Amino acid sequence: MSEESGEKGAQKPVVTFLGPVASYTHQATLSAFPNSTHTLTPTTTIEDVFASVQSGAAARGVVPFENSSNGSVVFTLDLFADVQAKYPDIVVCAESYVPVQHCLLGHARSDQQHATSLSSPGNAGGAGRRAGTGVIPSPLSSGAVTPTPSIPNPTKPTARPLSDLSRITKLYSHPQAWGQCKVFLNTYLKGVERQDVSSTSRAAQIVAEDESGESAAVSSAFAAEVCGLGVLARGIEDRVDNTTRFLVIKRRGDGRADGKDGADGEWKTLVSFTVDHANPGSLAHSLAVFEKYELNLTSINTRPSGVENWNYIFFVELKGRREEGTLDGPVNEALRELDPVCRSWRWLGSWESRLPQR
Amino acid sequence: MSEESGEKGAQKPVVTFLGPVASYTHQATLSAFPNSTHTLTPTTTIEDVFASVQSGAAARGVVPFENSSNGSVVFTLDLFADVQAKYPDIVVCAESYVPVQHCLLGHARSDQQHATSLSSPGNAGGAGRRAGTGVIPSPLSSGAVTPTPSIPNPTKPTARPLSDLSRITKLYSHPQAWGQCKVFLNTYLKGVERQDVSSTSRAAQIVAEDESGESAAVSSAFAAEVCGLGVLARGIEDRVDNTTRFLVIKRRGDGRADGKDGADGEWKTLVSFTVDHANPGSLAHSLAVFEKYELNLTSINTRPSGVENWNYIFFVELKGRREEGTLDGPVNEALRELDPVCRSWRWLGSWESRLPQR
């Protein structure tokens, strides 16, 4: 997904992304746009990314769209819904999948670096916690994997601490991360105070600033590198295949290439539409036009229309490509048939699939 | 939606609801189940409500399902998706719409009760804030409604403070509420520190405990009553029609009546299904069966299937009723045709619409 600049030797094109630095979106951005050929600029909100691309201040923007466990990012959907028509030229031109490998980050202590090779039963969790024993806890000693009548087959964590966790008294992370790391946290850090912060990378920054060594962050290995923290445990998420999908946006008509144009990869298209809710079957009719042209719908999302209560805007993603500058092709034909059936619709871009083939 | 007990003179049936006391869900529960005929029990999580109804500990449960501005409550959808088959008998049997009228709650001061009738320009927001002037700010004095190039027609808040807000230095609320009250908060409480808490009613409790009088909560008038707080401003949400829909759940087959059975009201049905994602058109085919029987789809929701990444479970809500104990009727016929087209499906209940007719 590297990008070729149309103007050789000109200023490096700007790519904005949802920050802060070291966020998962930053990772996605780096994988799509090498630092050396682009100026990467973090923003505070997803809306800032949309605004910078719409205004032309940035050539491309990168935003989170969907997590395999947590589902759609509704803030991003609402910006594509664009009720106030602030982003009329924004289209998707590429995507990027980033494995969300959560790590426990903290201040690594030189006196326990050897602990990595130990495996004796420890004292994590509950009343027995003592500071700085240098002993790595085992899941069997924590009580969290003991079968009970309500949970007869408790899940054991796949990850194990690489350091002693007994002095950790406070955890920082994004609220979504707690839910993705339940088993590890309940096994090794049960009862430890948790503080919600705005992003996993912000959590790493806070922990880096706390020199007591008693705080830890659920964040990424990338954030550990950027903030100079140690990795106390790696891959602590419950589902090892936890992945977030990011979309790259541009202004419609911006001809700079994204990806290997002309490759035989699969293409995806995003379309939004609204229907007349008073008209029975209008939603099914709208969806049927895609089937007629054998455009497989891969997902549907619904958001409040923002215009009237209990009216919705629908987002469909389908396998297929709309080429600009032509009226041919099944996507164009389906959109022509959609027009009289729905109330309004908008093409939100076509791009090459980056979903790893299995 | 009052409920008749099958056993006269027996113990009052238990209704669990997502607490705490004074939550919007509590309001929805009271509107459906009068306190005098039911034992209302708050729970900590939505999952607790499902578990208590599934186990039979509660006859009914009340959970939030959808907000007109913020969309679906994904936690509730995921419990209906029921990937681990923990709630196989749960069905929806009724619904309740509660207007979300946010208020600013705080300690009312006796020395400024007269302020309610004042209307002189005030000093809220920014550098001019002084403690306890007893003067009610006007929107024109705050700077927040000044037209700028990017916002040429700023929205003016529809609500005005009923008390002096100048001594408020900290706000508490649920994260969703900030986004629903943007205009009021940016006009009268710009720059005031905000603390996220787990619910709007919890925010009211915290403010009630803080006797300094410098904190305020974005919460409900109901919570003000329960916590003994004053209403400093009423109806501060941006959209006056902000409404949350709640669902009442029961065990399938529980014959206690919900609502006016046999009335000519409109019925709704909730169905979930999964499709074979490798089969093009399977989603459109599944949706087409409802159209064939003229069952108007009123909404679609999608959540990760929980089984495989980028596979989804779909929730459709349609106008129509499935009657238990018969195989007839359009909903039953549509479900029979859905069966061979989708991978799996589940009927999640039919109930009478409570959406106010316009």
Side-chain angles (χ1 to χ4, degrees), chain B residues 307-341:
Chain B
V307 177
E308 195 176 339
N309 279 0
W310 323 118
N311 276 229
Y312 304 92
I313 179 166
F314 302 95
F315 295 87
V316 294
E317 215 178 317
L318 50 93
K319 289 189 181 163
R321 179 186 188 183
R322 183 191 201 197
E323 292 178 66
E324 290 195 87
T326 168
L327 295 172
D328 298 335
V331 176
N332 271 318
E333 288 181 64
L335 290 175
R336 256 201 307 279
E337 283 200 28
L338 175 66
D339 188 72
V341 183

Side-chain angles (χ1 to χ4, degrees), chain B residues 42-95:
Chain B
T43 69
T44 311
T45 66
I46 300 173
E47 181 152 19
D48 292 340
V49 178
F50 273 68
S52 66
V53 175
Q54 175 65 37
S55 73
R60 296 288 186 276
V62 183
V63 294
F65 188 62
E66 179 180 23
N67 174 268
S68 59
S69 299
N70 289 343
S72 302
V73 179
V74 295
F75 300 109
T76 302
L77 284 176
D78 286 346
L79 289 164
F80 280 121
D82 195 20
V83 173
Q84 297 180 287
K86 287 159 79 177
Y87 310 113
D89 301 311
I90 296 291
V91 290
V92 181
C93 59
E95 66 178 12

Side-chain angles (χ1 to χ4, degrees), chain A residues 38 56 66 80 91 130 133 135 152 171 202 210 221 254 260 268 296 308-309 319 353:
Chain A
H38 296 78
E66 178 179 24
F80 280 121
V91 289
R130 293 190 310 275
T133 57
V135 176
L171 294 173
R202 177 79 191 119
D210 171 18
D254 179 326
K260 305 162 297 182
K268 297 178 179 173
N296 192 9
E308 196 175 338
N309 279 0
K319 289 190 181 163
S353 172

Side-chain angles (χ1 to χ4, degrees), chain A residues 34-99:
Chain A
N35 233 330
S36 56
T37 56
H38 296 78
T39 302
L40 307 187
T41 308
T43 70
T44 312
T45 66
I46 300 174
E47 181 151 20
D48 292 339
V49 178
F50 273 68
S52 66
V53 175
Q54 174 65 36
S55 73
R60 296 289 185 275
V62 183
V63 294
F65 188 62
E66 178 179 24
N67 174 269
S68 59
S69 301
N70 288 344
S72 301
V73 178
V74 296
F75 300 109
T76 302
L77 285 176
D78 286 346
L79 289 164
F80 280 121
D82 194 22
V83 173
Q84 296 180 288
K86 287 160 80 177
Y87 310 114
D89 301 310
I90 297 289
V91 289
V92 181
C93 58
E95 67 178 10
S96 177
Y97 289 84
V98 173

